[in-house]
Amino acid sequence: MNGAVEDLAAPIKNAEDKAKLLPAFLQVRGLVRQHIDSFNYFINVEIWNIVKANSKVNSDADANFQLVYTDVQVGRPSVEDEFRAATSVTPQKCRVRDITYSAPITVDLQYTLGKEVVKQNGILIGRLPIMLRCCRCLLAGKNDLELAKLGECPLDPGGYFIVKGTEKVVLTQEQLSKNRIIVEPDSKGLMSATVQSSTHERKSRTNIIMKAGKMYLKHNTIVEDIPVVIVFKAMGMESDQEIMQLIGSESEFVEAFTRSLEEAASLKILTQEAALAYVGARMRITRDMPRSLNRTNLAREFLAHTVLAHVPVVEYNFRTKCVYVAQMVRRILLALGDSSWVDDRDYYGNKRLELAGQLIALLFEDLFKTFNTEVKKRATQTLSKPHRAAQFNIINLFPVSIITNGLESSISTGNWHVERFKMDRAGVTQVLSRLSFISALGMMTRVNSQFEKTRKVSGPRSLQPSTWGMLCPSDTPEGEACGLVKNLALMTHVTTDDEAGPVAELLYILGTEDTSVVSGDEINDKRNSLVYLNGLLLGVHSNPDALTKAARKLRRKGLIGEFVSVCQIEGQNAIYVACDGGRVCRPLIIVENGSPMVTQTHLDELKAKTRVWRDFVQDGLIEYLDVNEENNALIAVDEESVQEETTHMEIAPLTILGVCAGLIPFPDHNQSPRNTYQCAMGKQAVGAIAYNQHRRVDTLLYLLTYPQRPMVETQVLTLVGGDRLPGGQNASLAVMSYSGYDIEDAVVLNKASLDRGFGRCCVIKKYTTSLKRYGKNNLRDRLAPLSATDRPPGSRYEALDADGIAPPGEKLVPGSIFVNKQVPSDAALTDAMTGSVTEYRDAPVTYKAPVAGYVDKVVITSNENEDFLIKTMVRETRRPEIGDKFSSRHGQKGVCGLIVPQEDMPFSDQGICPDLIMNPHGFPSRMTVGKLIEFVTGKAAVFEGRFGNGTAFAGDKIDECARALVKAGYSYTGKDFFYSGMTGEPLRGYVFAGPIFYQKLKHMVKDKMHARSRGPRALLTRQPTEGRSRDGGLRLGEMERDCLIGYGASMLLMERLVHSSDAFTIYVCQKCGLIGYKGWCQHCKSGVEVIMEDISVDY
Amino acid sequence: MGSGEDSDGKRSLPEHLERMRSRVEVGSKVPSNSEGVYYSGAYSSMGVDNSLSVSDLEKRLKVKILEKEKDRIVFELIGIDAPIANTIRRILLSEVPTMAIEKVSFFANSSVIHEEILAHRLGLIPLDVDPNLFDYMEEGAEPSEVNALKFRLKVQCTKVAAVPAEAKPSLKYHNSDVFSSMLEWEPIGEQAEVFGSKPPKPVNDDILIAKLRPGQEIDLEVLAVKGISKDHAKWSPVATAFYRMLPQVELLKSIEGADAIELKDMCPSNCFDIEESGKAVAVRPGQCTMCRECIRHGDWEEKIRLSRVRDHFIFSIESTGAIAPEDLFMRALQVLVDKCGNVVERLTESLDVSSAQARASTNKEHLSHLTRMSTGR
Ligand code: SF4
């Protein structure tokens, strides 16, 4: 082609092509990549770091003994049988068998015993639950067919664990970033600079506050606040002038700091010795402080290693730390003068996300240390025995269960209780919700923050501008967790730790001068910029622009990590370089000299599959920017808005949304809370769950019988597979008033549509029974097969098969027995101690649900706890009924108010009868214009024989769609001429009608309706039980009582509140008036002459 | 304005009222005059009798078939009121009986489709058999040759030897798709002789019931019984039955030149033509879909008047295939006649209680049948 050369520079022709980058990105990354990446990082890098840091185990008994770990590996997922033989296992098998999908952690080690050195490889130290689709998972790199063969759904994203058969997600945790100075007023309104230091060894929190014009250091370990000048002196900076220079010699600083200097002078602390003594005298002495040191030395230790623990102090050279403290002081002074220096805690650049890998690493580190302590204890025990008979083998002493059980129980309960790191968190993991495909996906992108849910704070809950493009602005729950639980946007990437050493070196090479070689005046010189790396002050640079430019260039060239961020803060004269983990970032197209680097040629290559996502990053066409660096960028939304100064361009504007919001058609036309409601409701929609849904054995499965691909799709929907596993049906909807049963958002359904399968769904419940084993004497529950004559039709035993279990396809009515189990009688249990006769009593498992169901499947299996596990799945097929909840994709939910025969439904000129009628009053106050557009787009799409596109910011044009309607002979407005089905005459208005995607929500009356006249009572209080599941009573509450009082229904009140609630009948002696038994008065000691009267006592 | 007299010597309504009585106006924003006037004395103050006389009806009533296909008929029904036309439509939708599968007995089902769903799918298959040959199955009655049809479906999926793995499932496997044609009729009693050359079968052979893979099988027996769509849509004899009122397009002003061309281009249904003089004329108003495109812009609504003729119905019936569409119409009328008969009977009954009681005892069977028809079981 001749034009090839010009094409190279050709601008992107249309936005659609550019949007193709999104699928390219998601293909390599998937939606849950952040979880998988972090777990891979743990398996491949972090686990070895942890083992290396704790690689030596000694014994107190024998100084010659030493155990050294030389390597660690994580194997492939397997399951151990009784004989400890491992066999490979698939995730599906784990779900069915209620076992853990885990892999062995093995170490290579060598230990010295006397002169002997023993080397051993591949020794098991515990088992690690394996994240699905991580690099060790069986599913990694498999294609769809192979996945199907393993019983796995190809559309399942992975990124969760299977522990004891349940799928558990480690939710992403949001935290304030570590090792960064945050300057803001504290709870008392005093300006303070806070640093949360965190290193592998220590975690501490240091404050510097301004109190009454003087500066103090605040720390947990010291009893009272210490004047900052004394801290400087204790760190060896005795000269006031030097201190002042570090803080800033300008008069404003000097003036503001003088009082602090004076305070130290008035306390007569002038030397380092005196200062250390002062600090030492105010320290809280704890047990784990070395006894050998006196208070002065303790103070020195404290300042070196505990205060600002992340700032390294080598051989008590406090220079760097002094500079750091000085910077903190300087920041406070600046913040006092100019509020723009006050930091914002909620700013997302100050946040770090903790992912599964990091959380598990933390847990593993703790458990591994416990493990080593235990090994040491056992070794000491064994070695200290004077006469050892058996040959000493350390491996036999390995307490494998510590790590295995520790990890397993933490993941399955979600309690991260790590005393060593002062961590106590609950609810870190959650059961993966499999209500619908979307709910599972939505859970994987969820971000949990550490704030208390009950606190009424608005700051952390409100939408931060800095989360643009990183977090979904729509997807957050309503109510107490509002704004605290967030969801990642589509293209967000969460970084993993990158090595800081090389980056620091590079920064020095690029001209950064180490703080130790420059004077305080130079540091604070306006012409110089401070260079921070991961919150550590590295040095100063005289030409910050050049440094920033150079560093970024190197990153684009791939010479430093792609996720290293370089951010220059103008007003602060500082450059922040970061390569730590947990930062959120997102890819953007680089724009240089007013034209985007990605051109049509590149996109054509992408289309031709000669170019993949990675190439875009490697060739410096696209780069990742984190929240901080985004502040330095000028990002254009599209080609048209690119200007001379523009530095970047969005890949697709819709990527600011998350998965759930991305499924909404035309969300850009809706009122924002509606999108939020839909995000919550999409997760409750009944639909298809996974391709393997019929093979799954979940506790509760809701499946739509005829799910349909929506007429109006979005790009996100197709990308995540929502078109292949849809959560609803296309209903032909008429917006009109019909009968009075459609008020308050209720919908009217067409009976013929229901007859034909609209909204029909299956509810499958799991009932697990196990045959338990008692004691050691092989005494256990057993199945009791019945002969055919013992299970006649019509009896409770009818459903049973010859083996005593109801087979698939059998109908269960309430009261039916589906597993005929027998348990050893109590007598037999006691006998079991002696190991003799066994008697059994019937303990059949009965079907208790209120409506009949069919046995869907029966799974008989075993796991390590139960060796005979029977799981019966009972299915119930439901057609929609009055009271079932439906919703469109625009946060417009409504219950079914009426089911109308087809002949009564209105019909149009074309003979179209709506499936569903919705009241137009749902629109004005909700302002869901997106829904109206979905109508028109969907209708037009039907006539054009295509699927509509409702992608946010890039959907079909409404005018074109309306024109298509006209072409098909329909009204431009979307409103059609309808006839009443009842009178046969035309309706008085035109009716807005068309196909729209409707979701059936999981809330169905069948699961909720409940009434009782009399029934069970609680044993203790004799009051009616609570709740539907226990056939409980219905509370006649205060307000209901008020109504009855108001109405004057005194007898009813008497009956409800007095007689029916706690009436109790007792026997009272007619002679003495005391309480007795029936026919006996204990006081009169007689049951003959005394007539016992029963009296009803109401409480 | 006075009321004129037509040729019969009957007084007729003034023009604007006549228009109101006989047309539904289709405005750009909202239709008007949508309800008809049925009260016999509505115009009595003007001396016009609005009552419906049978002779009038006979004179006005016209039926003209417009289109007729195997499963579909479109005809004009002129001269009746909307309630009557609607009654016919409603009966077609819900009360003309057909045969449909009602009971399914499973012997084996290892397909991925659950039994209830499979049964539901089977129920919706239209059966090509005349329901008039059958009685309703009474509650608790045994299936017999007069009230039920029996079909058997026995399919097993097997591998076809020597077909490459990439081939389509339909080639790779035998019976990978279960179609309605696989339902085999099993005559009950004398049925074989009665139906003879035209054995009952599903209307369409290619309705997909289920998909199977090697090793899976479906073995079931179904009973089809007579029923009406009021009970369940599977007994509906029609895919749909509906009518629309005849559209009318009138040009209020003469539209010429560029306007005429614009108008012609505007109409998606090609209702207008341009005469040689350059004037637009509405030549094919019958094609108008009432999309209101021609009156949407500007002042076009002043130039064009869209309306519908209130007593002119274009009726379409789409049969599911069991009963011919024209036959369906007749059956619907029969149901209507029966219903009227029922009403008449009840009326007489209540007027003459004693005689009704006498009749009730002798003709119980007949009555109960009618009652069921009207209450829909
Ligand atoms: S209403 Fe529509 S179809 Fe009818 S004449 Fe006007 S433009 Fe044509």
Side-chain angles (χ1 to χ4, degrees):
Chain A
M1 273 217 281
N2 294 338
V5 183
E6 287 100 85
D7 275 359
L8 273 177
I12 303 165
K13 280 193 207 99
N14 50 31
E16 257 165 64
D17 274 344
K18 195 181 66 170
K20 292 254 161 56
L21 282 168
L22 176 62
F25 174 76
L26 288 179
Q27 218 164 49
V28 288
R29 214 194 65 114
L31 278 165
V32 299
R33 199 73 229 171
Q34 69 274 13
H35 285 283
I36 298 174
D37 274 352
S38 84
F39 192 73
N40 282 347
Y41 180 77
F42 167 64
I43 290 180
N44 297 328
V45 183
E46 193 69 14
I47 195 167
W48 171 228
N49 287 344
I50 294 168
V51 172
K52 201 159 60 178
N54 304 287
S55 66
K56 293 195 176 71
V57 180
N58 295 314
S59 163
D60 292 343
D62 189 343
N64 289 327
F65 172 79
Q66 192 182 41
L67 169 71
V68 181
Y69 301 107
T70 54
D71 200 2
V72 60
Q73 307 90 20
V74 175
R76 303 289 281 182
S78 61
V79 61
E80 279 177 1
D81 58 19
E82 303 142 68
F83 311 109
R84 295 223 145 192
T87 43
S88 173
V89 66
T90 65
Q92 181 60 17
K93 222 181 225 168
C94 293
R95 290 190 194 109
V96 174
R97 286 190 53 194
D98 285 357
I99 52 179
T100 304
Y101 187 58
S102 62
I105 312 171
T106 52
V107 287
D108 294 350
L109 53 83
Q110 63 182 46
Y111 63 92
T112 336
L113 192 58
K115 290 187 186 71
E116 219 179 328
V117 175
V118 186
K119 269 194 190 169
Q120 260 172 323
N121 288 348
I123 305 304
L124 184 78
I125 57 166
R127 299 183 62 83
L128 173 73
I130 290 294
M131 180 181 278
L132 268 81
R133 308 258 170 140
C134 78
C135 61
R136 287 295 186 282
C137 176
L138 216 63
L139 309 178
K142 292 265 196 300
N143 64 25
D144 288 5
L145 192 70
E146 291 166 317
L147 286 171
K149 279 213 171 109
L150 293 172
E152 204 64 27
C153 174
L155 294 180
D156 186 71
Y160 53 90
F161 300 92
I162 300 174
V163 176
K164 294 182 191 139
T166 39
E167 295 164 323
K168 290 277 183 176
V169 193
V170 178
L171 295 183
T172 312
Q173 307 282 320
E174 175 194 297
Q175 280 202 321
L176 207 57
S177 115
K178 297 278 152 53
N179 306 344
R180 299 290 195 279
I181 305 172
I182 302 254
V183 179
E184 59 176 7
D186 67 3
S187 54
K188 290 185 202 112
L190 305 171
M191 192 57 76
S192 73
T194 317
V195 178
Q196 290 232 305
S197 313
S198 162
T199 60
H200 254 300
E201 291 78 35
R202 247 185 212 89
K203 295 187 171 38
S204 78
R205 184 190 163 100
T206 313
N207 288 300
I208 290 182
I209 52 165
M210 180 85 168
K211 203 158 59 180
K214 290 169 278 187
M215 296 246 175
Y216 298 93
L217 175 97
K218 218 182 159 121
H219 197 276
N220 271 347
T221 328
I222 43 182
V223 191
E224 69 183 55
D225 301 346
I226 295 176
V228 116
V229 179
I230 296 181
V231 175
F232 275 116
K233 301 209 164 171
M235 291 197 292
M237 195 153 288
E238 293 175 345
S239 143
D240 285 356
Q241 188 192 350
E242 214 181 330
I243 296 172
M244 213 53 246
Q245 273 181 341
L246 276 183
I247 294 169
S249 332
E250 292 87 341
S251 59
E252 68 232 63
F253 296 112
V254 179
E255 261 166 48
F257 201 64
T258 318
R259 293 189 60 190
S260 305
L261 287 172
E262 276 168 0
E263 195 189 13
S266 65
L267 285 168
K268 301 234 163 33
I269 295 189
L270 301 171
T271 62
Q272 183 173 18
E273 277 305 306
L276 283 173
Y278 182 90
V279 175
R282 279 155 187 82
M283 278 179 68
R284 247 183 269 264
I285 305 293
T286 55
R287 267 190 292 141
D288 42 325
M289 287 183 181
R291 298 251 177 82
S292 49
L293 299 177
N294 63 17
R295 282 197 170 245
T296 308
N297 285 334
L298 272 179
R300 196 197 309 275
E301 278 297 310
F302 162 67
L303 289 174
H305 300 303
T306 313
V307 172
L308 301 172
H310 69 288
V311 184
V313 170
V314 186
E315 296 185 348
Y316 301 108
N317 177 358
F318 282 103
R319 169 82 187 173
T320 13
K321 201 164 267 185
C322 285
V323 176
Y324 199 91
V325 174
Q327 281 308 315
M328 289 172 76
V329 171
R330 187 181 158 91
R331 294 270 298 267
I332 293 181
L333 294 177
L334 283 165
L336 282 171
D338 176 0
S339 62
S340 70
W341 281 84
V342 178
D343 292 307
D344 183 359
R345 200 169 265 271
D346 303 321
Y347 167 63
Y348 228 68
N350 289 333
K351 302 277 183 171
R352 294 291 177 270
L353 299 187
E354 266 183 337
L355 291 161
Q358 280 136 291
L359 287 162
I360 291 196
L362 221 60
L363 206 62
F364 177 78
E365 189 173 345
D366 175 62
L367 291 168
F368 188 63
K369 282 179 172 160
T370 318
F371 175 86
N372 280 345
T373 324
E374 183 66 23
V375 169
K376 180 176 168 177
K377 205 172 98 195
R378 291 190 187 183
T380 311
Q381 241 170 36
T382 320
L383 288 173
S384 56
K385 276 189 199 138
H387 311 291
R388 292 205 305 271
Q391 218 217 328
F392 177 76
N393 188 352
I394 187 80
I395 287 123
N396 296 339
L397 303 179
F398 272 13
V400 175
S401 64
I402 288 187
I403 292 176
T404 312
N405 294 348
L407 288 171
E408 212 177 84
S409 75
S410 276
I411 295 178
S412 72
T413 60
N415 294 331
W416 246 246
H417 183 68
V418 187
E419 234 165 289
R420 219 179 295 263
F421 304 124
K422 298 207 183 67
M423 185 179 190
D424 190 13
R425 278 193 223 156
V428 175
T429 64
Q430 279 181 9
V431 180
L432 181 60
S433 140
R434 287 287 187 179
L435 216 55
S436 68
F437 176 62
I438 297 309
S439 75
L441 262 188
M443 204 153 189
M444 306 302 305
T445 59
R446 192 160 303 165
V447 178
N448 222 354
S449 60
Q450 297 292 307
F451 287 96
E452 255 180 77
K453 289 198 172 121
T454 46
R455 283 237 314 268
K456 283 198 190 75
V457 282
S458 66
R461 293 174 190 265
S462 52
L463 198 55
Q464 258 280 331
S466 55
T467 58
W468 175 270
M470 307 287 178
L471 298 175
C472 178
S474 288
D475 198 354
T476 177
E478 299 162 62
E480 60 168 14
C482 186
L484 299 179
V485 174
K486 310 173 184 79
N487 276 271
L488 294 181
L490 277 173
M491 288 194 125
T492 314
H493 178 92
V494 181
T495 58
T496 46
D497 275 315
D498 210 347
E499 249 181 278
V503 180
E505 220 160 278
L506 192 101
L507 291 171
Y508 284 132
I509 292 168
L510 291 174
T512 310
E513 288 169 83
D514 198 335
T515 40
S516 54
V517 297
V518 290
S519 75
D521 277 343
E522 274 175 287
I523 290 175
N524 294 324
D525 193 324
K526 285 248 152 43
R527 282 161 298 175
N528 288 342
S529 246
L530 300 172
V531 181
Y532 287 93
L533 174 63
N534 293 340
L536 253 179
L537 186 57
L538 220 57
V540 292
H541 197 279
S542 51
N543 193 349
D545 292 348
L547 174 68
T548 323
K549 226 174 167 177
R552 287 184 185 158
K553 201 159 213 159
L554 287 170
R555 179 182 61 197
R556 287 177 195 178
K557 285 248 147 49
L559 296 175
I560 51 175
E562 53 190 316
F563 299 116
V564 173
S565 99
V566 185
C567 153
Q568 188 180 1
I569 299 184
E570 305 263 317
Q572 294 195 2
N573 279 334
I575 296 174
Y576 290 95
V577 182
C579 62
D580 53 341
R583 285 171 298 129
V584 277
C585 56
R586 66 190 184 116
L588 290 164
I589 296 172
I590 300 169
V591 176
E592 263 174 21
N593 307 323
S595 68
M597 301 289 281
V598 176
T599 61
Q600 190 61 41
T601 334
H602 297 126
L603 295 177
D604 290 343
E605 282 171 14
L606 180 74
K607 238 192 244 168
K609 300 217 166 76
T610 51
R611 179 175 272 280
V612 292
W613 176 260
R614 270 232 69 78
D615 301 332
F616 281 94
V617 180
Q618 263 162 9
D619 296 354
L621 308 173
I622 283 179
E623 67 179 347
Y624 288 89
L625 292 195
D626 76 354
V627 180
N628 282 314
E629 194 172 340
E630 252 186 345
N631 288 338
N632 285 170
L634 187 66
I635 305 165
V637 175
D638 48 27
E639 290 256 284
E640 282 95 76
S641 43
V642 172
Q643 295 164 357
E644 202 51 50
E645 317 85 76
T646 307
T647 59
H648 294 85
M649 185 170 76
E650 296 275 357
I651 289 174
L654 75 110
T655 56
I656 63 159
L657 299 175
V659 195
C660 292
L663 301 180
I664 307 171
F666 304 105
D668 45 333
H669 295 270
N670 281 341
Q671 187 202 9
S672 91
R674 292 291 139 190
N675 291 338
T676 305
Y677 297 154
Q678 165 57 22
C679 287
M681 256 177 318
K683 293 166 191 161
Q684 303 172 8
V686 175
I689 286 172
Y691 284 167
N692 61 356
Q693 58 184 20
H694 290 310
R695 294 207 179 186
R696 297 182 59 95
V697 275
D698 295 50
T699 6
L700 196 54
L701 267 178
Y702 288 100
L703 306 175
L704 197 63
T705 307
Y706 297 110
Q708 290 175 344
R709 183 173 162 191
M711 270 321 295
V712 179
E713 299 184 311
T714 68
Q715 208 190 352
V716 182
L717 184 97
T718 352
L719 280 177
V720 302
D723 54 342
R724 280 155 286 171
L725 291 170
Q729 289 172 316
N730 294 301
S732 150
L733 175 65
V735 181
M736 61 179 278
S737 159
Y738 187 97
S739 76
Y741 294 90
D742 60 352
I743 52 161
E744 289 293 328
D745 288 333
V747 293
V748 175
L749 293 179
N750 184 340
K751 179 174 167 287
S753 307
L754 305 187
D755 286 345
R756 294 182 175 117
F758 177 76
R760 206 164 274 237
C761 69
C762 278
V763 180
I764 308 179
K765 279 200 188 98
K766 181 179 78 176
Y767 297 90
T768 312
T769 319
S770 67
L771 300 190
K772 284 201 188 61
R773 202 185 270 278
Y774 305 89
K776 289 195 181 89
N777 294 309
N778 253 348
L779 189 66
R780 53 188 281 179
D781 300 344
R782 68 176 188 190
L783 285 174
L786 295 175
S787 66
T789 50
D790 284 339
R791 40 187 166 92
S795 75
R796 295 167 70 209
Y797 297 95
E798 187 189 357
L800 294 176
D801 208 358
D803 60 357
I805 304 174
E810 213 55 65
K811 183 173 181 174
L812 299 180
V813 293
S816 290
I817 288 165
F818 60 93
V819 176
N820 199 28
K821 191 168 87 166
Q822 287 186 333
V823 299
S825 64
D826 292 344
L829 272 179
T830 33
D831 270 1
M833 304 304 146
T834 59
S836 57
V837 217
T838 46
E839 273 171 42
Y840 287 90
R841 97 187 130 76
D842 283 340
V845 189
T846 46
Y847 180 68
K848 291 207 189 76
V851 271
Y854 295 85
V855 178
D856 190 50
K857 63 174 162 284
V858 177
V859 178
I860 299 176
T861 180
S862 68
N863 61 24
E864 62 259 45
N865 304 323
E866 312 284 351
D867 48 7
F868 204 119
L869 205 61
I870 304 161
K871 293 183 178 180
T872 311
M873 304 287 288
V874 181
R875 156 172 42 93
E876 195 189 304
T877 306
R878 294 178 180 172
R879 56 182 277 161
E881 53 184 332
I882 291 177
D884 284 0
K885 203 169 169 190
F886 290 84
S887 120
S888 71
R889 283 182 292 174
H890 303 270
Q892 305 247 54
K893 54 179 184 250
V895 292
C896 166
L898 187 67
I899 295 171
V900 174
Q902 188 185 346
E903 63 266 24
D904 286 346
M905 289 299 251
F907 60 99
S908 80
D909 254 3
Q910 285 77 18
I912 297 168
C913 227
D915 294 320
L916 214 138
I917 296 180
M918 182 205 151
N919 195 295
H921 285 101
F923 284 108
S925 57
R926 293 4 167 345
M927 295 184 270
T928 50
V929 179
K931 186 165 174 179
L932 301 178
I933 302 179
E934 188 190 342
F935 262 106
V936 176
T937 315
K939 202 161 157 186
V942 167
F943 296 118
E944 294 186 329
R946 62 177 178 101
F947 284 95
N949 177 10
T951 309
F953 312 111
D956 288 344
K957 297 277 168 299
I958 174 100
D959 187 54
E960 283 164 27
C961 292
R963 271 174 210 294
L965 285 186
V966 172
K967 229 164 132 197
Y970 286 74
S971 168
Y972 182 90
T973 53
K975 295 205 249 176
D976 295 333
F977 194 94
F978 268 77
Y979 299 86
S980 159
M982 289 191 268
T983 67
E985 295 187 322
L987 292 178
R988 285 195 200 173
Y990 301 125
V991 174
F992 195 60
I996 203 155
F997 194 67
Y998 250 76
Q999 302 162 319
K1000 184 182 189 190
L1001 305 185
K1002 63 159 187 177
H1003 305 285
M1004 285 176 266
V1005 262
K1006 256 206 185 132
D1007 300 317
K1008 310 216 162 165
M1009 64 176 175
H1010 170 55
R1012 86 166 207 184
S1013 52
R1014 69 201 91 173
R1017 280 150 184 264
L1019 214 57
L1020 181 70
T1021 57
R1022 293 172 198 260
Q1023 287 183 348
T1025 48
E1026 220 181 301
R1028 191 180 102 105
S1029 53
R1030 274 163 288 171
D1031 192 23
L1034 295 154
R1035 184 179 149 86
L1036 190 106
E1038 283 158 81
M1039 296 169 99
E1040 291 80 2
R1041 184 205 65 143
D1042 293 346
C1043 287
L1044 291 177
I1045 293 174
Y1047 186 72
S1050 56
M1051 294 313 285
L1052 177 62
L1053 272 173
M1054 186 71 178
E1055 189 253 0
R1056 279 293 91 199
L1057 299 177
V1058 182
H1059 302 311
S1060 306
S1061 56
D1062 312 83
F1064 178 59
T1065 314
I1066 51 166
Y1067 294 93
V1068 175
C1069 175
Q1070 274 197 332
K1071 195 173 158 209
C1072 64
L1074 292 177
I1075 296 169
Y1077 312 106
K1078 189 180 188 179
W1080 179 259
C1081 173
Q1082 184 65 17
H1083 184 254
C1084 307
K1085 295 270 186 276
S1086 151
V1088 193
E1089 305 115 66
V1090 193
I1091 310 156
M1092 299 299 291
E1093 182 100 350
D1094 55 333
I1095 289 178
S1096 172
V1097 182
D1098 303 324
Y1099 290 94
Chain B
M1 271 218 278
S3 19
E5 253 172 54
D6 69 4
S7 52
D8 293 355
K10 267 174 71 179
R11 287 175 73 86
S12 61
L13 283 169
E15 203 185 325
H16 72 285
L17 282 182
E18 177 59 30
R19 171 104 197 164
M20 229 169 158
R21 197 185 63 82
S22 62
R23 297 286 184 277
V24 178
E25 306 292 346
V26 178
S28 67
K29 298 279 180 300
V30 73
S32 44
N33 285 341
S34 62
E35 280 108 359
V37 179
Y38 305 112
Y39 172 45
S40 59
Y43 304 113
S44 57
S45 64
M46 258 167 289
V48 176
D49 180 20
N50 196 36
S51 63
L52 179 79
S53 77
V54 176
S55 62
D56 248 13
L57 185 71
E58 263 173 8
K59 209 159 40 172
R60 278 184 1 224
L61 184 66
K62 271 190 217 102
V63 178
K64 192 175 141 206
I65 296 178
L66 298 179
E67 278 173 57
K68 192 173 158 309
E69 291 160 33
K70 187 171 153 287
D71 291 341
R72 182 163 170 266
I73 189 167
V74 181
F75 57 94
E76 281 180 321
L77 198 57
I78 309 164
I80 55 164
D81 288 328
I84 310 277
N86 191 36
T87 310
I88 299 169
R89 182 191 72 91
R90 288 170 61 92
I91 291 174
L92 277 168
L93 279 175
S94 69
E95 282 173 302
V96 175
T98 56
M99 298 293 283
I101 292 170
E102 168 75 347
K103 281 210 162 59
V104 183
S105 316
F106 285 87
F107 304 115
N109 172 27
S110 49
S111 75
V112 291
I113 301 186
H114 299 146
E115 286 85 50
E116 301 97 291
I117 315 287
L118 199 53
H120 174 234
R121 292 179 73 87
L122 286 166
L124 290 172
I125 297 173
L127 298 177
D128 188 7
V129 52
D130 186 357
N132 282 355
L133 301 172
F134 291 87
D135 287 345
Y136 286 99
M137 175 112 91
E138 299 297 328
E139 188 92 22
E142 282 299 307
S144 70
E145 57 187 316
V146 292
N147 62 17
L149 273 174
K150 205 197 258 179
F151 290 90
R152 177 88 183 223
L153 180 67
K154 195 171 159 74
V155 231
Q156 210 158 13
C157 183
T158 45
K159 266 200 184 116
V160 176
V163 172
E166 322 74 68
K168 275 198 297 193
S170 55
L171 297 176
K172 268 199 309 196
Y173 313 122
H174 191 58
N175 286 338
S176 69
D177 295 333
V178 182
F179 288 114
S180 48
S181 57
M182 295 178 183
L183 279 168
E184 263 169 51
W185 178 47
E186 290 189 349
I188 311 174
E190 309 272 276
Q191 278 178 350
E193 286 89 87
V194 175
F195 288 99
S197 58
K198 197 180 164 289
K201 62 172 192 54
V203 174
N204 310 82
D205 284 342
D206 55 352
I207 299 177
L208 185 66
I209 298 174
K211 287 193 176 187
L212 298 180
R213 287 297 174 265
Q216 297 178 340
E217 66 166 318
I218 291 177
D219 185 2
L220 48 84
E221 197 180 84
V222 300
L223 274 186
V225 302
K226 187 172 167 176
I228 55 170
S229 165
K230 233 178 196 168
D231 280 351
H232 194 284
K234 68 184 172 186
W235 278 300
S236 172
V238 291
T240 189
F242 69 99
Y243 55 75
R244 61 193 177 101
M245 291 173 172
L246 181 76
Q248 219 177 29
V249 184
E250 291 155 277
L251 301 182
L252 299 178
K253 293 177 185 162
S254 130
I255 298 163
E256 291 166 33
D259 275 0
I261 295 171
E262 190 189 340
L263 178 65
K264 185 173 170 4
D265 292 346
M266 212 152 42
C267 175
S269 310
N270 199 19
C271 296
F272 303 99
D273 264 353
I274 301 174
E275 279 181 344
E276 262 157 48
S277 62
K279 263 175 76 178
V281 273
V283 278
R284 289 171 291 268
Q287 282 185 8
C288 172
T289 57
M290 289 282 139
C291 70
R292 282 111 63 205
E293 183 66 11
C294 52
I295 53 173
R296 186 164 68 92
H297 306 277
D299 58 353
W300 278 100
E301 196 163 5
E302 286 156 29
K303 299 182 197 159
I304 296 168
R305 184 174 188 180
L306 300 176
S307 61
R308 321 200 77 147
V309 183
R310 205 188 289 284
D311 63 353
H312 189 138
F313 298 94
I314 302 167
F315 214 106
S316 22
I317 302 175
E318 292 171 30
S319 162
T320 55
I323 306 168
E326 58 275 17
D327 206 5
L328 267 176
F329 185 66
M330 299 316 288
R331 289 192 192 194
L333 290 179
Q334 188 55 49
V335 174
L336 182 57
V337 168
D338 288 351
K339 280 187 168 212
C340 295
N342 198 10
V343 173
V344 170
E345 206 159 337
R346 288 299 168 90
L347 275 175
T348 350
E349 241 174 69
S350 48
L351 290 173
D352 182 3
V353 180
S354 56
S355 74
Q357 272 167 350
R359 200 183 359 240
S361 55
T362 54
N363 210 354
K364 211 171 179 180
E365 193 95 333
H366 183 53
L367 254 185
S368 72
H369 176 70
L370 279 173
T371 319
R372 196 185 48 214
M373 292 283 290
S374 53
T375 54
R377 287 201 288 178

